Amino acid sequence: KHFDIRDWGSGNIGFANVKRVLGWKVSLPVLVADTFKAFLPVLVAKLYLGEPWGIVCLIAAGIGHAWSLYFFIAEGKFGGGKSVATLFGGILALQPMLALAVLCFFLAVLVVFQYLSLASITASVFALFFSFLLRLGTVWNLALMVVALMLLYTHRRNIGRLIQGTEPKFNEKRGAHDSNEEAVVAFVVHPLDFSDFSQSRLSGWIPKLISKRILSERTVNRLLTKGAVM
């Protein structure tokens, strides 16, 4: 379509944002490509090197999708997607039954709540639970724990929007790719007082912890500087 998808919608390069901005026709090839970029190499690793190397390849594919070397080489900084489809493709190559169970759970959450991010996060946690249930072993338990932590990290902003109630639903449309309209936005910048954090559900816990002396104002300032608190 001759434009950078990162300038539209959520700015993500994955299936969900492409679907919201451009629709199914363009997003389905993205979904297939993201899935097979892990499915094929993981399957090859499993067949020729064994399942442990397949698991290593699965984790590597997820990391490579979320923090792409292509963007680092081209632009000097890492970028990528959320790795949901990629990690699913790798699990599908190694444990088809587990992948099917996770997919069913994912679709159920998506149908009920209409949030793709919520379905992805809860499905990753469910995969870990199902691994214990099926007794897949310590290696799989550790691998799926890494997968769950990875998806929690790549969805950290989505989690904040879910808490605040601003997360877009799956079928919600975002900025059209052929629009030439510009949005002009003005901000009033003023120093924050710690009591201001109580205005948001995401940060409402901060003044309470400060008042109970569980957190110091100095610690909160450090968190803000590091970007850990939104």
Side-chain angles (χ1 to χ4, degrees):
K1 294 295 182 177
H2 307 292
F3 73 94
D4 193 337
I5 189 65
R6 294 174 297 172
D7 295 331
W8 298 89
S10 66
N12 191 268
I13 67 170
F15 160 76
N17 191 43
V18 176
K19 188 263 175 190
R20 289 192 188 104
V21 176
L22 295 172
W24 285 102
K25 187 177 180 179
V26 179
S27 63
L28 280 178
V30 174
L31 178 63
V32 172
D34 285 349
T35 302
F36 274 87
K37 75 161 58 173
F39 178 84
L40 293 177
V42 168
L43 183 63
V44 171
K46 175 186 176 182
L47 293 176
Y48 290 96
L49 300 174
E51 186 175 83
W53 281 106
I55 294 175
V56 172
C57 190
L58 161 69
I59 302 299
I63 293 173
H65 182 75
W67 296 277
S68 172
L69 283 174
Y70 170 82
F71 287 118
F72 182 77
I73 294 171
E75 302 176 353
K77 60 181 180 180
F78 288 107
K82 302 293 178 65
S83 292
V84 177
T86 302
L87 291 169
F88 173 78
I91 295 173
L92 182 63
L94 293 170
Q95 292 285 347
M97 291 302 297
L98 173 64
L100 180 62
V102 170
L103 180 61
C104 291
F105 183 88
F106 169 87
L107 292 174
V109 175
L110 182 60
V111 169
V112 173
F113 296 99
Q114 295 292 306
Y115 291 111
L116 191 63
S117 57
L118 179 64
S120 302
I121 296 166
T122 54
S124 68
V125 176
F126 173 79
L128 180 59
F129 167 78
F130 210 70
S131 175
F132 281 103
L133 195 65
L134 293 177
R135 298 180 181 180
L136 296 180
T138 304
V139 174
W140 264 107
N141 294 341
L142 290 174
L144 291 173
M145 190 177 298
V146 171
V147 167
L149 290 173
M150 189 185 305
L151 290 185
L152 283 170
Y153 182 80
T154 59
H155 286 83
R156 61 195 183 281
R157 291 183 178 87
N158 301 84
I159 294 171
R161 290 194 293 267
L162 284 167
I163 294 172
Q164 292 180 321
T166 58
E167 176 75 345
K169 293 189 175 182
F170 179 61
N171 289 320
E172 184 175 329
K173 288 287 185 180
R174 301 302 289 265
H177 70 280
D178 58 352
S179 174
N180 293 318
E181 296 180 1
E182 293 184 0
V184 179
V185 183
F187 294 91
V188 177
V189 181
H190 64 90
L192 278 175
D193 184 82
F194 287 105
S195 61
D196 291 333
F197 288 111
S198 61
Q199 298 176 22
S200 169
R201 283 184 289 175
L202 180 60
S203 58
W205 52 273
I206 295 176
K208 297 177 183 177
L209 294 184
I210 292 175
S211 65
K212 294 180 180 179
R213 300 185 183 276
I214 298 174
L215 278 180
S216 66
E217 293 186 3
R218 183 178 180 183
T219 300
V220 174
N221 279 325
R222 286 182 178 177
L223 291 172
L224 289 169
T225 303
K226 296 294 183 182
V229 178
M230 299 300 293

